[in-house]
Amino acid sequence: MTNQSTARKQNLSELPDPDIRIVHLLDAWKAARGGQLVPNKRDFDPLSVPRLLSSIWLYRWEPDRSGFICRLAGEDINRSWGYSIAGHDARQVLGDKDFEVVTDIWRKILTTPLIHYGKGERLHENRMYSAERLVLPLIGEDSPDGEPDHVLGLSLYELGETGETRPQVILQNAYQVHCADIV
């Protein structure tokens, strides 16, 4: 699979050593699809992955507000950010340097639709931890056109200095797979 590009005819099991928790979330997302390309949010049961709840987050695309708004975040997510991020817009959470890059990825996840997997992802201002991350599209109950409008994510943080003087670019170890190619 090619870094920093959309991959075709690949699946997550072919990625570089994904944590088993990444695979568990992908399996729960696939089970919620019910024959659709992207599952409805109401069909995704977070209790099907109870051990992941502390590391899951959900943003909704709200163009009439500030774009992506955090709807929920597990305890590990909030602890990593240092506060509860629920209710905050993506710019407030991510900061100006990473806002455009991350929200461009999220918009692509919704419009293509596709999934995003990253290993060792790190924001510019963060030298304390990196994350293995899976981001998936969902269709909300009140999506005006029935198109995906939520991004569901799992962030598995690895704490500790890496010894690097500059953090890696967000997309350096990122892979994207079209939802149509996920069976």
Side-chain angles (χ1 to χ4, degrees):
M1 198 180 303
T2 307
N3 277 352
Q4 300 183 23
S5 67
T6 303
R8 300 294 291 177
K9 303 297 179 197
Q10 300 292 325
N11 64 48
L12 207 58
S13 67
E14 296 169 344
L15 295 177
D17 301 321
D19 186 291
I20 192 65
R21 294 170 291 181
I22 297 287
V23 176
H24 289 315
L25 181 62
L26 180 63
D27 288 344
W29 179 86
K30 289 182 342 185
R33 288 167 86 178
Q36 298 185 118
L37 187 61
V38 173
N40 291 311
K41 182 177 161 280
R42 71 175 171 267
D43 295 330
F44 176 78
D45 180 9
L47 295 179
S48 68
V49 287
R51 293 185 177 155
L52 304 180
L53 294 178
S54 65
S55 299
I56 287 178
W57 46 267
L58 180 72
Y59 279 81
R60 180 175 181 215
W61 172 245
E62 296 186 23
D64 53 333
R65 285 188 64 196
S66 300
F68 286 96
I69 307 296
C70 183
R71 289 296 174 214
L72 68 87
E75 307 93 55
D76 291 345
I77 303 302
N78 291 326
R79 186 174 25 258
S80 295
W81 287 103
Y83 65 100
S84 175
I85 64 172
H88 293 272
D89 70 57
R91 185 179 299 275
Q92 292 170 311
V93 176
L94 300 169
D96 290 332
K97 285 186 178 180
D98 296 306
F99 171 76
E100 291 297 328
V101 172
V102 173
T103 58
D104 283 349
I105 292 167
W106 291 354
R107 282 191 293 268
K108 189 175 179 184
I109 288 168
L110 297 179
T111 59
T112 301
L114 54 84
I115 67 160
H116 173 91
Y117 169 76
K119 190 162 184 134
E121 290 186 323
R122 181 186 317 270
L123 298 176
H124 281 89
E125 299 302 320
N126 182 351
R127 297 191 198 299
M128 293 304 295
Y129 61 84
S130 63
E132 184 171 359
R133 185 172 289 116
L134 180 66
V135 187
L136 306 157
L138 292 173
I139 301 168
E141 296 83 19
D142 54 353
S143 173
D145 52 5
E147 297 295 320
D149 61 351
H150 286 74
V151 287
L152 171 68
L154 174 67
S155 294
L156 304 173
Y157 293 110
E158 184 175 312
L159 299 175
E161 288 280 344
T162 63
E164 297 175 10
T165 56
R166 272 192 85 223
Q168 296 176 351
V169 178
I170 290 173
L171 292 176
Q172 186 169 350
N173 296 313
Y175 303 85
Q176 295 175 340
V177 180
H178 285 255
C179 291
D181 295 335
I182 299 173
V183 293

Short mmCIF file of all heavy atoms in Angstrom, two decimals, residues 78-126:
data_model
loop_
_atom_site.label_atom_id
_atom_site.label_comp_id
_atom_site.label_asym_id
_atom_site.label_seq_id
_atom_site.Cartn_x
_atom_site.Cartn_y
_atom_site.Cartn_z
N ASN A 78 -9.53 12.52 26.37
CA ASN A 78 -9.57 13.75 27.17
C ASN A 78 -8.30 13.91 28.02
O ASN A 78 -7.77 15.01 28.14
CB ASN A 78 -10.81 13.78 28.04
CG ASN A 78 -12.07 13.95 27.22
OD1 ASN A 78 -12.07 14.63 26.20
ND2 ASN A 78 -13.15 13.34 27.66
N ARG A 79 -7.82 12.83 28.57
CA ARG A 79 -6.60 12.88 29.39
C ARG A 79 -5.40 13.31 28.52
O ARG A 79 -4.58 14.13 28.94
CB ARG A 79 -6.33 11.53 30.04
CG ARG A 79 -5.17 11.52 31.00
CD ARG A 79 -4.96 10.22 31.78
NE ARG A 79 -5.46 9.00 31.18
CZ ARG A 79 -6.60 8.39 31.55
NH1 ARG A 79 -7.35 8.90 32.50
NH2 ARG A 79 -6.98 7.27 30.97
N SER A 80 -5.35 12.81 27.30
CA SER A 80 -4.24 13.18 26.41
C SER A 80 -4.26 14.65 26.03
O SER A 80 -3.22 15.27 25.86
CB SER A 80 -4.27 12.31 25.15
OG SER A 80 -4.03 10.97 25.50
N TRP A 81 -5.46 15.21 25.89
CA TRP A 81 -5.58 16.63 25.54
C TRP A 81 -5.52 17.52 26.78
O TRP A 81 -5.34 18.72 26.67
CB TRP A 81 -6.89 16.89 24.77
CG TRP A 81 -6.81 16.35 23.38
CD1 TRP A 81 -7.37 15.21 22.90
CD2 TRP A 81 -6.09 16.92 22.28
NE1 TRP A 81 -7.06 15.04 21.58
CE2 TRP A 81 -6.27 16.08 21.18
CE3 TRP A 81 -5.32 18.07 22.14
CZ2 TRP A 81 -5.69 16.34 19.94
CZ3 TRP A 81 -4.75 18.34 20.90
CH2 TRP A 81 -4.94 17.47 19.82
N GLY A 82 -5.76 16.94 27.95
CA GLY A 82 -5.69 17.72 29.18
C GLY A 82 -7.00 18.35 29.60
O GLY A 82 -7.05 19.07 30.58
N TYR A 83 -8.06 18.07 28.86
CA TYR A 83 -9.40 18.58 29.18
C TYR A 83 -10.43 17.83 28.34
O TYR A 83 -10.07 17.13 27.39
CB TYR A 83 -9.50 20.09 28.91
CG TYR A 83 -9.36 20.49 27.45
CD1 TYR A 83 -10.48 20.76 26.67
CD2 TYR A 83 -8.11 20.60 26.85
CE1 TYR A 83 -10.37 21.12 25.34
CE2 TYR A 83 -7.97 20.95 25.52
CZ TYR A 83 -9.11 21.22 24.77
OH TYR A 83 -8.98 21.58 23.45
N SER A 84 -11.70 17.98 28.69
CA SER A 84 -12.76 17.35 27.91
C SER A 84 -12.94 18.12 26.61
O SER A 84 -13.26 19.31 26.63
CB SER A 84 -14.08 17.35 28.70
OG SER A 84 -15.12 16.84 27.88
N ILE A 85 -12.75 17.45 25.49
CA ILE A 85 -12.84 18.11 24.19
C ILE A 85 -14.25 18.09 23.61
O ILE A 85 -14.51 18.75 22.61
CB ILE A 85 -11.83 17.53 23.19
CG1 ILE A 85 -12.12 16.06 22.87
CG2 ILE A 85 -10.40 17.72 23.70
CD1 ILE A 85 -11.26 15.48 21.74
N ALA A 86 -15.17 17.36 24.23
CA ALA A 86 -16.55 17.31 23.74
C ALA A 86 -17.14 18.71 23.70
O ALA A 86 -16.97 19.50 24.64
CB ALA A 86 -17.41 16.40 24.62
N GLY A 87 -17.80 19.04 22.60
CA GLY A 87 -18.41 20.36 22.42
C GLY A 87 -17.49 21.38 21.78
O GLY A 87 -17.95 22.45 21.36
N HIS A 88 -16.22 21.08 21.69
CA HIS A 88 -15.26 22.01 21.10
C HIS A 88 -15.14 21.77 19.60
O HIS A 88 -15.25 20.64 19.12
CB HIS A 88 -13.88 21.86 21.75
CG HIS A 88 -13.86 22.28 23.18
ND1 HIS A 88 -13.62 23.57 23.58
CD2 HIS A 88 -14.06 21.57 24.31
CE1 HIS A 88 -13.66 23.64 24.89
NE2 HIS A 88 -13.94 22.44 25.36
N ASP A 89 -14.85 22.84 18.85
CA ASP A 89 -14.63 22.64 17.41
C ASP A 89 -13.20 22.20 17.17
O ASP A 89 -12.32 22.34 18.03
CB ASP A 89 -15.02 23.89 16.61
CG ASP A 89 -14.09 25.05 16.80
OD1 ASP A 89 -12.87 24.92 16.57
OD2 ASP A 89 -14.58 26.14 17.16
N ALA A 90 -12.97 21.63 16.01
CA ALA A 90 -11.67 21.04 15.69
C ALA A 90 -10.53 22.04 15.77
O ALA A 90 -9.43 21.70 16.19
CB ALA A 90 -11.72 20.40 14.30
N ARG A 91 -10.76 23.29 15.39
CA ARG A 91 -9.68 24.29 15.46
C ARG A 91 -9.25 24.51 16.91
O ARG A 91 -8.06 24.62 17.20
CB ARG A 91 -10.10 25.61 14.83
CG ARG A 91 -8.95 26.62 14.79
CD ARG A 91 -9.34 27.94 14.15
NE ARG A 91 -9.77 27.83 12.78
CZ ARG A 91 -8.97 27.83 11.71
NH1 ARG A 91 -7.67 27.87 11.89
NH2 ARG A 91 -9.47 27.75 10.50
N GLN A 92 -10.21 24.55 17.83
CA GLN A 92 -9.88 24.74 19.25
C GLN A 92 -9.06 23.56 19.76
O GLN A 92 -8.13 23.74 20.55
CB GLN A 92 -11.16 24.84 20.09
CG GLN A 92 -11.96 26.09 19.85
CD GLN A 92 -13.32 26.00 20.54
OE1 GLN A 92 -14.02 25.02 20.42
NE2 GLN A 92 -13.66 27.06 21.27
N VAL A 93 -9.39 22.36 19.33
CA VAL A 93 -8.71 21.17 19.82
C VAL A 93 -7.35 20.99 19.15
O VAL A 93 -6.34 20.75 19.82
CB VAL A 93 -9.58 19.90 19.60
CG1 VAL A 93 -8.84 18.64 20.01
CG2 VAL A 93 -10.90 20.02 20.35
N LEU A 94 -7.31 21.11 17.83
CA LEU A 94 -6.11 20.79 17.07
C LEU A 94 -5.09 21.92 16.99
O LEU A 94 -3.91 21.68 16.78
CB LEU A 94 -6.49 20.37 15.65
CG LEU A 94 -7.39 19.15 15.53
CD1 LEU A 94 -7.91 19.01 14.12
CD2 LEU A 94 -6.66 17.90 15.99
N GLY A 95 -5.56 23.15 17.12
CA GLY A 95 -4.67 24.29 16.95
C GLY A 95 -4.56 24.68 15.48
O GLY A 95 -4.88 23.91 14.58
N ASP A 96 -4.11 25.88 15.25
CA ASP A 96 -4.07 26.43 13.89
C ASP A 96 -3.16 25.67 12.94
O ASP A 96 -3.48 25.51 11.77
CB ASP A 96 -3.67 27.90 13.92
CG ASP A 96 -4.74 28.79 14.53
OD1 ASP A 96 -5.94 28.43 14.43
OD2 ASP A 96 -4.39 29.84 15.10
N LYS A 97 -2.00 25.20 13.41
CA LYS A 97 -1.05 24.54 12.51
C LYS A 97 -1.58 23.24 11.93
O LYS A 97 -1.28 22.91 10.78
CB LYS A 97 0.27 24.26 13.24
CG LYS A 97 1.12 25.48 13.43
CD LYS A 97 2.46 25.09 14.02
CE LYS A 97 3.34 26.31 14.18
NZ LYS A 97 4.64 25.96 14.75
N ASP A 98 -2.33 22.48 12.70
CA ASP A 98 -2.79 21.16 12.24
C ASP A 98 -4.23 21.14 11.79
O ASP A 98 -4.67 20.18 11.17
CB ASP A 98 -2.59 20.13 13.36
CG ASP A 98 -1.12 19.95 13.68
OD1 ASP A 98 -0.35 19.68 12.74
OD2 ASP A 98 -0.75 20.10 14.85
N PHE A 99 -4.98 22.18 12.09
CA PHE A 99 -6.40 22.22 11.77
C PHE A 99 -6.69 21.94 10.30
O PHE A 99 -7.50 21.07 9.98
CB PHE A 99 -6.99 23.58 12.19
CG PHE A 99 -8.39 23.80 11.71
CD1 PHE A 99 -9.45 23.16 12.33
CD2 PHE A 99 -8.64 24.63 10.63
CE1 PHE A 99 -10.75 23.35 11.89
CE2 PHE A 99 -9.94 24.83 10.19
CZ PHE A 99 -10.99 24.19 10.81
N GLU A 100 -6.05 22.65 9.40
CA GLU A 100 -6.33 22.49 7.97
C GLU A 100 -5.99 21.09 7.47
O GLU A 100 -6.77 20.48 6.75
CB GLU A 100 -5.58 23.54 7.14
CG GLU A 100 -6.08 24.95 7.34
CD GLU A 100 -7.52 25.16 6.91
OE1 GLU A 100 -7.98 24.50 5.95
OE2 GLU A 100 -8.20 25.99 7.54
N VAL A 101 -4.83 20.58 7.86
CA VAL A 101 -4.41 19.25 7.41
C VAL A 101 -5.38 18.18 7.88
O VAL A 101 -5.86 17.35 7.10
CB VAL A 101 -2.97 18.92 7.90
CG1 VAL A 101 -2.61 17.48 7.58
CG2 VAL A 101 -1.97 19.87 7.28
N VAL A 102 -5.70 18.19 9.17
CA VAL A 102 -6.57 17.16 9.74
C VAL A 102 -7.99 17.27 9.19
O VAL A 102 -8.58 16.27 8.79
CB VAL A 102 -6.56 17.23 11.29
CG1 VAL A 102 -7.60 16.28 11.88
CG2 VAL A 102 -5.17 16.90 11.82
N THR A 103 -8.54 18.47 9.14
CA THR A 103 -9.92 18.59 8.64
C THR A 103 -10.00 18.32 7.15
O THR A 103 -11.05 17.86 6.68
CB THR A 103 -10.56 19.95 9.01
OG1 THR A 103 -9.78 21.02 8.49
CG2 THR A 103 -10.69 20.08 10.53
N ASP A 104 -8.95 18.56 6.39
CA ASP A 104 -8.94 18.14 4.97
C ASP A 104 -9.03 16.62 4.87
O ASP A 104 -9.76 16.08 4.03
CB ASP A 104 -7.69 18.63 4.25
CG ASP A 104 -7.74 20.10 3.90
OD1 ASP A 104 -8.83 20.73 4.02
OD2 ASP A 104 -6.69 20.65 3.50
N ILE A 105 -8.31 15.92 5.74
CA ILE A 105 -8.39 14.45 5.77
C ILE A 105 -9.81 14.02 6.12
O ILE A 105 -10.39 13.15 5.47
CB ILE A 105 -7.38 13.86 6.78
CG1 ILE A 105 -5.94 14.10 6.32
CG2 ILE A 105 -7.64 12.37 7.01
CD1 ILE A 105 -4.89 13.84 7.38
N TRP A 106 -10.39 14.63 7.15
CA TRP A 106 -11.73 14.26 7.59
C TRP A 106 -12.77 14.53 6.51
O TRP A 106 -13.67 13.73 6.29
CB TRP A 106 -12.10 14.98 8.88
CG TRP A 106 -11.32 14.54 10.09
CD1 TRP A 106 -10.42 13.50 10.17
CD2 TRP A 106 -11.36 15.12 11.38
NE1 TRP A 106 -9.91 13.42 11.44
CE2 TRP A 106 -10.47 14.39 12.20
CE3 TRP A 106 -12.06 16.18 11.92
CZ2 TRP A 106 -10.28 14.69 13.54
CZ3 TRP A 106 -11.87 16.49 13.27
CH2 TRP A 106 -10.98 15.75 14.06
N ARG A 107 -12.65 15.66 5.81
CA ARG A 107 -13.61 15.94 4.72
C ARG A 107 -13.48 14.90 3.61
O ARG A 107 -14.47 14.47 3.04
CB ARG A 107 -13.40 17.36 4.18
CG ARG A 107 -14.02 18.43 5.08
CD ARG A 107 -14.05 19.79 4.43
NE ARG A 107 -12.73 20.35 4.22
CZ ARG A 107 -12.10 21.15 5.08
NH1 ARG A 107 -12.68 21.50 6.21
NH2 ARG A 107 -10.91 21.63 4.81
N LYS A 108 -12.27 14.49 3.32
CA LYS A 108 -12.05 13.45 2.31
C LYS A 108 -12.66 12.12 2.76
O LYS A 108 -13.23 11.38 1.96
CB LYS A 108 -10.55 13.30 2.04
CG LYS A 108 -10.22 12.43 0.86
CD LYS A 108 -8.72 12.46 0.60
CE LYS A 108 -8.36 11.56 -0.56
NZ LYS A 108 -6.92 11.49 -0.79
N ILE A 109 -12.53 11.82 4.06
CA ILE A 109 -13.13 10.60 4.62
C ILE A 109 -14.64 10.61 4.36
O ILE A 109 -15.22 9.58 3.99
CB ILE A 109 -12.82 10.48 6.12
CG1 ILE A 109 -11.35 10.12 6.31
CG2 ILE A 109 -13.74 9.47 6.81
CD1 ILE A 109 -10.85 10.26 7.74
N LEU A 110 -15.27 11.76 4.53
CA LEU A 110 -16.72 11.87 4.36
C LEU A 110 -17.14 11.89 2.89
O LEU A 110 -18.13 11.28 2.53
CB LEU A 110 -17.25 13.13 5.05
CG LEU A 110 -17.07 13.19 6.57
CD1 LEU A 110 -17.63 14.51 7.10
CD2 LEU A 110 -17.70 12.00 7.26
N THR A 111 -16.41 12.58 2.05
CA THR A 111 -16.86 12.77 0.67
C THR A 111 -16.47 11.63 -0.26
O THR A 111 -17.14 11.41 -1.26
CB THR A 111 -16.34 14.10 0.09
OG1 THR A 111 -14.91 14.10 0.13
CG2 THR A 111 -16.90 15.28 0.86
N THR A 112 -15.42 10.89 0.02
CA THR A 112 -14.98 9.85 -0.91
C THR A 112 -15.91 8.64 -0.93
O THR A 112 -16.29 8.24 -2.03
CB THR A 112 -13.52 9.44 -0.64
OG1 THR A 112 -12.70 10.59 -0.77
CG2 THR A 112 -13.07 8.35 -1.59
N PRO A 113 -16.37 8.03 0.10
CA PRO A 113 -15.88 7.93 1.49
C PRO A 113 -14.74 6.92 1.60
O PRO A 113 -14.63 6.00 0.78
CB PRO A 113 -17.10 7.47 2.26
CG PRO A 113 -17.90 6.69 1.29
CD PRO A 113 -17.62 7.29 -0.07
N LEU A 114 -13.95 7.09 2.64
CA LEU A 114 -12.82 6.20 2.87
C LEU A 114 -12.51 6.12 4.35
O LEU A 114 -13.09 6.84 5.15
CB LEU A 114 -11.59 6.66 2.09
CG LEU A 114 -11.08 8.10 2.26
CD1 LEU A 114 -10.18 8.24 3.48
CD2 LEU A 114 -10.31 8.49 1.02
N ILE A 115 -11.62 5.20 4.69
CA ILE A 115 -11.11 5.12 6.05
C ILE A 115 -9.66 5.60 6.03
O ILE A 115 -8.99 5.55 5.00
CB ILE A 115 -11.20 3.72 6.67
CG1 ILE A 115 -10.28 2.73 5.97
CG2 ILE A 115 -12.63 3.21 6.67
CD1 ILE A 115 -9.97 1.50 6.78
N HIS A 116 -9.24 6.08 7.17
CA HIS A 116 -7.87 6.59 7.31
C HIS A 116 -7.22 5.83 8.46
O HIS A 116 -7.79 5.70 9.54
CB HIS A 116 -7.92 8.09 7.63
CG HIS A 116 -6.59 8.68 7.96
ND1 HIS A 116 -5.77 9.24 7.02
CD2 HIS A 116 -5.93 8.80 9.15
CE1 HIS A 116 -4.67 9.68 7.59
NE2 HIS A 116 -4.74 9.42 8.89
N TYR A 117 -6.03 5.32 8.20
CA TYR A 117 -5.24 4.65 9.23
C TYR A 117 -3.89 5.32 9.29
O TYR A 117 -3.25 5.54 8.26
CB TYR A 117 -5.08 3.16 8.89
CG TYR A 117 -4.06 2.47 9.77
CD1 TYR A 117 -4.37 2.13 11.08
CD2 TYR A 117 -2.80 2.16 9.29
CE1 TYR A 117 -3.43 1.51 11.89
CE2 TYR A 117 -1.85 1.53 10.08
CZ TYR A 117 -2.17 1.21 11.39
OH TYR A 117 -1.25 0.60 12.19
N GLY A 118 -3.46 5.65 10.49
CA GLY A 118 -2.14 6.24 10.67
C GLY A 118 -1.41 5.57 11.81
O GLY A 118 -2.00 5.22 12.82
N LYS A 119 -0.13 5.40 11.63
CA LYS A 119 0.70 4.79 12.67
C LYS A 119 1.80 5.79 13.01
O LYS A 119 2.52 6.24 12.13
CB LYS A 119 1.30 3.49 12.18
CG LYS A 119 1.97 2.70 13.27
CD LYS A 119 2.15 1.26 12.86
CE LYS A 119 2.75 0.49 14.01
NZ LYS A 119 2.08 -0.75 14.24
N GLY A 120 1.88 6.16 14.27
CA GLY A 120 2.89 7.12 14.70
C GLY A 120 2.54 8.55 14.32
O GLY A 120 3.43 9.38 14.18
N GLU A 121 1.25 8.85 14.17
CA GLU A 121 0.85 10.21 13.82
C GLU A 121 1.10 11.14 15.00
O GLU A 121 0.92 10.76 16.15
CB GLU A 121 -0.63 10.25 13.44
CG GLU A 121 -0.92 9.56 12.13
CD GLU A 121 -2.36 9.74 11.70
OE1 GLU A 121 -3.26 9.73 12.56
OE2 GLU A 121 -2.58 9.89 10.50
N ARG A 122 1.50 12.36 14.69
CA ARG A 122 1.86 13.32 15.72
C ARG A 122 1.52 14.72 15.21
O ARG A 122 1.79 15.04 14.07
CB ARG A 122 3.35 13.19 16.00
CG ARG A 122 3.90 14.07 17.04
CD ARG A 122 5.42 13.96 17.11
NE ARG A 122 5.92 12.61 17.03
CZ ARG A 122 6.12 11.82 18.08
NH1 ARG A 122 5.85 12.23 19.28
NH2 ARG A 122 6.60 10.61 17.92
N LEU A 123 0.94 15.54 16.08
CA LEU A 123 0.66 16.92 15.74
C LEU A 123 1.92 17.77 15.93
O LEU A 123 2.83 17.38 16.66
CB LEU A 123 -0.48 17.47 16.60
CG LEU A 123 -1.83 16.76 16.42
CD1 LEU A 123 -2.86 17.32 17.38
CD2 LEU A 123 -2.32 16.85 14.99
N HIS A 124 1.98 18.93 15.28
CA HIS A 124 3.17 19.77 15.30
C HIS A 124 3.62 20.18 16.70
O HIS A 124 4.81 20.20 16.99
CB HIS A 124 2.94 21.03 14.46
CG HIS A 124 3.10 20.78 13.02
ND1 HIS A 124 2.06 20.37 12.22
CD2 HIS A 124 4.18 20.86 12.21
CE1 HIS A 124 2.49 20.22 10.99
NE2 HIS A 124 3.77 20.51 10.96
N GLU A 125 2.67 20.55 17.54
CA GLU A 125 3.04 21.07 18.86
C GLU A 125 3.26 19.97 19.89
O GLU A 125 3.56 20.25 21.04
CB GLU A 125 1.94 22.02 19.37
CG GLU A 125 1.74 23.22 18.47
CD GLU A 125 3.01 24.05 18.29
OE1 GLU A 125 3.75 24.23 19.28
OE2 GLU A 125 3.27 24.49 17.16
N ASN A 126 3.15 18.72 19.49
CA ASN A 126 3.19 17.62 20.45
C ASN A 126 4.46 16.80 20.28
O ASN A 126 4.64 16.14 19.28
CB ASN A 126 1.96 16.75 20.25
CG ASN A 126 1.91 15.63 21.24
OD1 ASN A 126 2.87 15.39 21.96
ND2 ASN A 126 0.82 14.95 21.27
#
